[in-house]
Amino acid sequence: MKLNYQGYQDIAIHQLVEKQVLLTPNKVAIIFHNQQLTYRELNEKANQLAHYLQSLGVASETLVGICVERSLDMVIGLLAILKAGGAYVPLDPSYPLERLAFMLEDSQLSVLVTQQHLSEKLTSHSAKIVALDSDWEVIAEYSHENPINQVCADNLAYVIYTSGSTGKPKGVEIVHGAVVNFLASMQQEPGLTSQDVLLAVTTISFDIAVLELFLPLTVGAATVIVSREVAADAIQLSKTINDSGATVMQATPATWRMLLAIDWEGNQHLKILCGGEVLTRHLANQLLERSSSVWNMYGPTETTIWSTVDKVEPGDRSIGIGRPILNTQIYILKEPSRRKNDVLKPVFGEEEGQLYIGGLGLARGYWNRPDLTSEKFITYPFSDEPTDILYKTGDLARYLPDGSICIIGRIDHQVKIRGHRIELGDIEATLSQHHQVQECVVIVREDSPGDMRLVAYVVLKPQLSNIRSAQLRAWLKEKLPDYMVPAIVMSIDKLPLTPNYKVDRRALPLPTLDFMEEFVHPRTDLEKQLSQIWTAILGLEVDIYQNFLESGGNSLTSAVLLYRINETFKIELPLECLFKAPTIASLAEVIQSVQASGSAAPFTTNLDEMRADAVLEPTIHPLTTTKTEPQHIFLTGATGFIGAFLLKELLQQNAQATVYCLVRANSLDAASDRLRQSLERYEIWQEGFGKRIVPVLGDLSQPLLGLSEAQFRELADRIEVIYHSGASVNLVYPYTALRGTNVFGTREVLRLAVYTKTIPVHYISTLDVFQSSEYQDKTVILETDDLLSGEGYLDGYSQSKWVAEKLVLAARDRGLPCCIYRLGMITGHSQTGAFQPSNMISRMIKGFIQMGYAPKWELKMNLTPVDYVARAIAYLSCQPESYGETFHLLSPYVLSLNELVADLNSLSYPVTAIPFYQWQAKLLDMPTENALTPMASLFTKKVSNQQKTFIETTALASSQVFDSRNTQMGLAGTDIICSPINSSVLKAYLSYFRRCGFLTQFTHLTHIS
């Protein structure tokens, strides 16, 4: 039956069904397994039950519980309650008894429709029981004619309990008029006709089931109901989709992902409705390939199921929530401040605000919760009618550039997981009832894209801390639905607090195995030896499954650990083994394997892995190019050494530009502080910078730079040029440890550059891409030289930069405007001395001073001041002729190690030059406090098949000449000149080291005599 606004203003849900029964009495309405009912049969059985319910006193506004397994009886029961004039309260049989008991008590049901085997679960209530199976003989005696009742559009249709922040569910009251308006809108978009077959997979305790059960009954379509077991089993569900002839199916993204995980081929006749959680572009595109159409649905229970609808089109644009359904209004409003007379105001442009919904779909309120009703349902601020109401969704939203609306998060701690709306406080309140729990907090973590998990952090009571996480989860399963039981329960000593003494949820630690299971002691002699080494280095005893790097290990202690292991077991493990086998248990297996085979080769980076990583995805391809003066610049690595100076130059050279900086931080304020502190650390901060620097919260190592798809798209729409300076620079770490940031980060930057338009990229590379044995016979390295096969690299850093540059070169070959800047060894500012303490040269200077010794070594070092590099990149990047070129940025001067030592002595830092082998021995005996300890292996360990240490093979000490004609020609006529590193520059460095505390008056007293 086609609905229109004028025809359904005063009609109730069941009356719509009754009208359709008259039109298609003999058509199949409901199918479950091998059972089915026609429209007439369904109506007559529902009528009989309705008359029986009226005989029990059910009338308008009477709440009637329904706790029935998925079946034909379920639909009969729902329809009958409405026909009797009552409002149904769905009670899922799978819910814990405690939750069901609360809902029964809170709703004060007068009648409960159920089945005999379920009635035994439903205790502690005074409702009259109607068992559809055992009582049907009595029910069948009643009339099969449509009953008469006084229900109108303003009467209650159902009360659905959703998660509550106080630990108790809250009942949402929905009236007939709201549902009828919804059904009328759904008939139009996404649309349903009498020819459709809808596959119903959703529990009736989730309000979206109203669409699945009642929308088909208003248009003459057929509904196929699947059991709970089928709905949860991807293989069975996939088969049912095909066998049932379904043309429409509604489900959450989690269900669709479950189907795709088994390589579901889809159905080109299937219309997909997706809602309950955020629909990502990646998932949408997968579904579009497997269906006739995909519709994104949005709406809270309080505004009757779905409030907006959007037909998703193929492509890569962000997926918004679409248009409001019939008689529905959507607003994004800024919250008023605490100042007197402040009111809600619409957001401006792309500002964030809370989403408010108005219209016919609004709930009446919360059952027996007038306080919460008045808090969530507010008077319409733009209307003179006091009866006009808006619902505060708690969803944070913004307008996208095309005017569509994008949901970007929650303003409270309410979340949606697998379509279920969950109030985190509900779980916390339950967990806190356990006698061993002192306090707790529950959050949602998404450590892998799309993998949202509940994590509970608990502080156990003193003297009662012997319970395991598995026991707490089992206890919670008895009290909460499965979807509300945290995937991880992690015990911690205390909850982190903000300065305002509120729980700092962002400071909660990343869950690891050792926090979730009981302590596992070493089992073998080998594990016991490793445990002793780990305990000595970390200062605490560790579980054999505990990750070294997540237990306090870092680059310094990693190097010490590996040295001790190699000395103890007389083997040669590369550091890469520690990253691939970071636990005592896994490392013991590696050691056994190496001892047996005599080789650690199977545990080192495979060249095939690098070459596979160096293949650029075909989807990363430039689009149309627009040439503009950049006003919006994107910079990675801004908190790093080179990135900080480059940020300063970009701001000064582009006086009107805004620079967007990717920063890892917990909040925008924290990100702004990090950026400011970085520039202040190097003494280059200017007050005017703050207004022109915009932090972007993200992570270079994560897909889409750690942003949501909508944020990634918005960033791509806004920026006009990219400077990719971010990288993990560590000459000790293996390729596997640097791959995420250096390789995958570069890939995501290139993806950003072509996501919505073509954006020029300036990539900061390194001369270390030539530190391979493949180049050892080349005396001159040209800026135009190709990168070779990837063989012959001795460290993970140069490997990762080789792969990353290969990706950039591939993008450049496809037409992306790119410049590549290969840097040599970078040192501090030639005038101010501002220097990065973790830089190799900084560590060498401090390490020599701490030891009182340095190697007598005529090592020729090419050292390039950071101020020259930053100015050169900023200038060259603005020259149109630079695109497509590669620039070598290095000093034309060299400084020998002996000259450096002499200059230190002349500046009153006594350092004695001794033969290299003697100095190496002293370095290996140095305490961990020595600045060179983390990189001792670079100076002491001979690289494979050579009689040189690693330091002698790097660009720092290379005898090769690096051509820099592109750089020289590009800078010709400017005042950008590279200063030599002489005693006056070294003096500036030492002065800066003292100012920042890197050197103290006692530094030179820490050496071993």
Side-chain angles (χ1 to χ4, degrees):
M1 181 185 67
K2 185 74 173 177
L3 296 178
N4 59 72
Y5 178 66
Q6 297 300 324
Y8 69 77
Q9 277 180 297
D10 297 315
I11 200 168
I13 302 167
H14 57 279
Q15 292 169 335
L16 292 178
V17 178
E18 291 167 355
K19 290 179 181 293
Q20 186 61 47
V21 170
L22 295 176
L23 297 174
T24 55
N26 299 317
K27 187 173 183 184
V28 173
I30 305 291
I31 301 169
F32 179 74
H33 289 180
N34 58 353
Q35 303 172 298
Q36 64 181 39
L37 290 173
T38 64
Y39 273 80
R40 177 187 288 116
E41 290 169 338
L42 170 64
N43 192 56
E44 289 179 350
K45 286 180 177 292
N47 286 342
Q48 289 173 317
L49 178 57
H51 284 293
Y52 180 66
L53 292 174
Q54 286 181 333
S55 74
L56 298 178
V58 174
S60 173
E61 300 291 314
T62 302
L63 296 192
V64 179
I66 178 166
C67 183
V68 178
E69 299 286 4
R70 295 180 66 76
S71 59
L72 299 181
D73 283 348
M74 179 184 75
V75 183
I76 294 169
L78 291 170
L79 184 57
I81 294 169
L82 298 177
K83 281 173 166 282
Y88 69 84
V89 179
L91 303 165
D92 193 315
S94 69
Y95 277 2
L97 297 181
E98 189 172 322
R99 190 176 181 87
L100 290 172
F102 169 80
M103 294 162 69
L104 287 167
E105 180 183 357
D106 184 70
S107 59
Q108 291 297 297
L109 302 174
S110 60
V111 177
L112 175 57
V113 176
T114 184
Q115 291 162 320
Q116 186 63 43
H117 69 284
L118 294 176
S119 61
E120 299 168 2
K121 293 179 61 176
L122 306 170
T123 58
S124 303
H125 65 85
S126 57
K128 300 172 186 173
I129 295 289
V130 177
L132 294 181
D133 43 10
S134 58
D135 292 342
W136 192 258
E137 285 188 11
V138 176
I139 297 169
E141 297 295 323
Y142 283 78
S143 170
H144 54 68
E145 298 296 330
N146 292 334
I148 298 172
N149 61 54
Q150 303 302 314
V151 171
C152 65
D154 292 333
N155 286 124
L156 277 183
Y158 59 80
V159 174
I160 280 187
Y161 278 83
T162 68
S163 189
S165 59
T166 60
K168 300 297 184 183
K170 54 184 183 290
V172 181
E173 305 171 303
I174 300 296
V175 299
H176 279 266
V179 179
V180 172
N181 178 75
F182 168 77
L183 295 174
S185 188
M186 292 299 101
Q187 282 190 19
Q188 298 177 25
E189 274 193 330
L192 196 75
T193 72
S194 61
Q195 304 305 309
D196 280 310
V197 176
L198 189 147
L199 193 67
V201 301
T202 310
T203 170
I204 59 172
S205 288
F206 190 178
D207 68 330
I208 70 174
V210 172
L211 179 148
E212 297 177 355
L213 300 179
F214 290 111
L215 181 59
L217 292 177
T218 65
V219 299
T223 300
V224 177
I225 300 171
V226 302
S227 67
R228 187 189 316 276
E229 292 73 25
V230 170
D233 186 316
I235 295 175
Q236 291 190 68
L237 182 57
S238 173
K239 185 176 186 299
T240 304
I241 292 173
N242 293 330
D243 293 348
S244 65
T247 59
V248 180
M249 177 174 150
Q250 170 186 256
T252 65
T255 298
W256 296 117
R257 282 195 293 267
M258 177 183 76
L259 285 166
L260 293 172
I262 62 160
D263 297 323
W264 176 57
E265 295 180 355
N267 182 334
Q268 293 303 316
H269 301 292
L270 185 67
K271 180 185 294 185
I272 287 177
L273 312 186
C274 190
E277 291 177 309
V278 174
L279 174 62
T280 64
R281 168 51 66 181
H282 177 66
L283 176 58
N285 285 344
Q286 288 180 297
L287 295 177
L288 283 166
E289 294 172 356
R290 295 166 171 82
S291 65
S292 64
S293 62
V294 175
W295 295 77
N296 188 33
M297 323 292 282
Y298 165 81
T301 301
E302 287 84 348
T303 59
T304 309
I305 312 154
W306 305 131
S307 298
T308 67
V309 59
D310 183 43
K311 185 177 183 181
V312 181
E313 300 295 340
D316 56 5
R317 63 177 285 270
S318 297
I319 297 175
I321 61 172
R323 297 180 301 279
I325 68 168
L326 290 177
N327 303 302
T328 300
Q329 298 84 44
I330 304 290
Y331 302 92
I332 304 177
L333 304 176
K334 289 189 291 188
E335 298 299 300
S337 68
R338 296 184 178 181
R339 293 194 298 261
K340 189 176 181 181
N341 300 324
D342 265 8
V343 296
L344 287 170
K345 297 177 182 177
V347 297
F348 177 76
E350 297 175 33
E351 289 180 319
E352 297 177 356
Q354 184 174 177
L355 195 73
Y356 287 74
I357 300 177
L360 292 184
L362 262 61
R364 180 188 289 177
Y366 296 108
W367 178 258
N368 286 337
R369 295 291 302 276
D371 54 338
L372 188 59
T373 298
S374 61
E375 176 188 338
K376 294 290 188 178
F377 295 85
I378 65 167
T379 302
Y380 201 140
F382 314 117
S383 172
D384 295 329
E385 295 294 329
T387 56
D388 286 346
I389 301 295
L390 290 180
Y391 172 68
K392 299 167 64 172
T393 67
D395 284 325
L396 199 60
R398 67 154 65 101
Y399 289 105
L400 295 175
D402 64 0
S404 60
I405 294 174
C406 177
I407 302 296
I408 56 178
R410 293 288 303 170
I411 65 167
D412 50 23
H413 299 308
Q414 190 184 84
V415 297
K416 271 195 175 182
I417 296 182
R418 294 183 295 279
H420 296 285
R421 194 174 70 177
I422 300 169
E423 200 89 42
L424 298 179
D426 195 343
I427 307 171
E428 292 168 354
T430 302
L431 188 54
S432 64
Q433 294 170 13
H434 193 281
H435 72 281
Q436 290 198 32
V437 174
Q438 180 170 294
E439 54 182 339
C440 64
V441 65
V442 179
I443 65 170
V444 173
R445 297 196 73 99
E446 191 175 8
D447 298 314
S448 299
D451 181 22
M452 296 179 68
R453 297 186 299 170
L454 289 169
V455 180
Y457 297 83
V458 298
V459 178
L460 299 175
K461 293 178 180 177
Q463 290 84 45
L464 290 175
S465 57
N466 60 342
I467 193 167
R468 296 179 58 197
S469 108
Q471 292 172 291
L472 280 174
R473 290 189 75 249
W475 182 83
L476 283 172
K477 280 190 172 185
E478 296 176 359
K479 301 179 176 297
L480 297 171
D482 282 348
Y483 67 82
M484 293 180 69
V485 177
I488 297 170
V489 177
M490 177 174 167
S491 177
I492 56 178
D493 292 334
K494 61 180 180 180
L495 297 178
L497 302 177
T498 67
N500 293 332
Y501 298 101
K502 295 182 179 180
V503 175
D504 187 355
R505 292 168 182 262
R506 294 182 180 273
L508 291 164
L510 181 70
T512 54
L513 180 64
D514 51 289
F515 288 110
M516 293 181 281
E517 301 298 337
E518 64 183 11
F519 192 95
V520 181
H521 293 278
R523 302 159 299 183
T524 66
D525 290 340
L526 178 54
E527 288 181 349
K528 289 176 183 176
Q529 286 179 285
L530 285 174
S531 179
Q532 290 171 356
I533 297 172
W534 285 39
T535 301
I537 292 172
L538 293 173
L540 53 92
E541 187 179 5
V542 293
D543 184 299
I544 65 168
Y545 295 114
Q546 197 162 330
N547 189 306
F548 178 80
L549 298 169
E550 294 172 352
S551 305
N554 53 38
S555 59
L556 188 156
T557 51
S558 296
V560 176
L561 176 71
L562 201 67
Y563 173 74
R564 300 260 180 94
I565 288 173
N566 287 338
E567 285 292 302
T568 301
F569 298 103
K570 306 305 179 186
I571 54 177
E572 286 292 326
L573 288 186
L575 188 59
E576 187 155 10
C577 288
L578 182 58
F579 286 87
K580 290 189 173 181
T583 69
I584 290 173
S586 58
L587 198 56
E589 293 179 2
V590 170
I591 292 172
Q592 286 178 320
S593 176
V594 172
Q595 287 175 331
S597 66
S599 172
F603 305 101
T604 58
T605 296
N606 187 302
L607 183 59
D608 290 338
E609 293 178 51
M610 290 172 51
R611 289 173 176 168
D613 287 345
V615 177
L616 187 65
E617 297 174 20
T619 55
I620 300 179
H621 203 286
L623 306 170
T624 56
T625 305
T626 56
K627 294 184 178 180
T628 60
E629 284 294 322
Q631 297 299 306
H632 300 92
I633 299 169
F634 182 60
L635 172 65
T636 69
T639 58
F641 181 44
I642 296 168
F645 281 92
L646 184 55
L647 174 57
K648 175 239 183 187
E649 292 296 331
L650 293 174
L651 289 167
Q652 290 187 331
Q653 186 166 291
N654 303 274
Q656 304 303 315
T658 299
V659 182
Y660 295 78
C661 300
L662 188 72
V663 185
R664 281 186 302 174
N666 292 329
S667 66
L668 290 173
D669 287 343
S672 296
D673 289 344
R674 277 197 70 193
L675 289 164
R676 178 177 182 134
Q677 289 165 9
S678 179
L679 270 64
E680 287 178 339
R681 183 183 308 120
Y682 300 123
E683 302 175 347
I684 52 177
W685 174 260
Q686 297 178 21
E687 284 305 320
F689 286 171
K691 297 178 181 178
R692 299 172 53 210
I693 298 175
V694 177
V696 177
L697 298 182
D699 187 337
L700 205 54
S701 67
Q702 298 300 311
L704 302 184
L705 303 178
L707 308 178
S708 68
E709 197 275 340
Q711 292 169 328
F712 195 74
R713 171 174 292 279
E714 183 181 357
L715 182 64
D717 283 336
R718 181 164 298 185
I719 60 175
E720 293 139 352
V721 64
I722 296 172
Y723 290 82
H724 180 31
S725 175
S728 179
V729 182
N730 191 307
L731 300 181
V732 176
Y733 276 9
Y735 176 77
T736 49
L738 304 173
R739 183 189 192 204
T741 298
N742 296 357
V743 176
F744 297 159
T746 300
R747 180 194 63 194
E748 296 307 295
V749 165
L750 294 173
R751 190 188 312 281
L752 179 70
V754 300
Y755 207 64
T756 60
K757 61 179 184 289
T758 297
I759 305 170
V761 174
H762 298 279
Y763 173 62
I764 314 304
S765 186
T766 172
L767 291 173
D768 282 358
V769 295
F770 296 110
Q771 296 314 300
S772 158
S773 57
E774 291 188 297
Y775 300 96
Q776 63 185 6
D777 295 330
K778 289 181 69 73
T779 56
V780 178
I781 305 291
L782 303 178
E783 289 165 310
T784 54
D785 280 349
D786 292 330
L787 298 185
L788 299 180
S789 71
E791 290 187 276
Y793 289 99
L794 301 174
D795 68 294
Y797 176 67
S798 58
Q799 289 174 324
S800 69
K801 295 299 280 187
W802 175 85
V803 175
E805 189 170 317
K806 289 287 281 186
L807 293 174
V808 176
L809 289 169
R812 192 163 78 178
D813 289 344
R814 294 179 188 177
L816 181 67
C818 292
C819 295
I820 297 173
Y821 307 88
R822 296 186 184 129
L823 313 186
M825 177 57 70
I826 307 302
T827 61
H829 195 286
S830 61
Q831 304 299 315
T832 68
F835 212 151
Q836 184 183 35
S838 60
N839 181 284
M840 178 187 285
I841 302 302
S842 301
R843 288 186 175 276
M844 286 173 62
I845 293 171
K846 181 176 180 178
F848 293 163
I849 293 172
Q850 287 176 308
M851 294 173 69
Y853 296 100
K856 187 183 294 183
W857 190 9
E858 197 57 30
L859 175 69
K860 302 293 185 182
M861 301 183 294
N862 187 293
L863 306 177
T864 311
V866 69
D867 46 318
Y868 164 73
V869 170
R871 289 187 67 200
I873 293 173
Y875 177 81
L876 291 169
S877 65
C878 291
Q879 311 311 309
E881 60 272 18
S882 293
Y883 284 110
E885 299 291 348
T886 299
F887 301 92
H888 287 172
L889 293 173
L890 71 165
S891 174
Y893 310 101
V894 294
L895 176 72
S896 74
L897 190 63
N898 288 338
E899 289 174 322
L900 174 63
V901 174
D903 286 340
L904 286 174
N905 279 282
S906 70
L907 294 169
S908 302
Y909 284 92
V911 177
T912 302
I914 59 177
F916 192 24
Y917 71 92
Q918 292 181 7
W919 179 82
Q920 287 176 312
K922 286 186 176 292
L923 176 60
L924 291 175
D925 286 336
M926 281 291 112
T928 56
E929 293 79 12
N930 188 279
L932 282 174
T933 299
M935 51 183 61
S937 62
L938 305 183
F939 295 88
T940 59
K941 182 180 178 182
K942 295 287 196 299
V943 298
S944 59
N945 302 323
Q946 298 190 38
Q947 291 304 308
K948 293 181 178 180
T949 59
F950 177 82
I951 200 71
E952 296 172 89
T953 68
T954 64
L956 177 69
S958 176
S959 60
Q960 294 168 320
V961 174
F962 291 96
D963 163 50
S964 60
R965 280 175 292 182
N966 283 346
T967 302
Q968 293 170 21
M969 288 189 294
L971 297 179
T974 72
D975 61 351
I976 304 174
I977 300 171
C978 183
S979 300
I981 306 300
N982 51 32
S983 60
S984 64
V985 174
L986 183 59
K987 184 178 181 180
Y989 292 166
L990 294 168
S991 175
Y992 175 78
F993 289 158
R994 290 192 299 271
R995 292 199 303 275
C996 73
F998 185 57
L999 285 181
T1000 69
Q1001 59 179 324
F1002 303 109
T1003 298
H1004 65 286
L1005 301 178
T1006 62
H1007 67 275
I1008 297 177
S1009 60

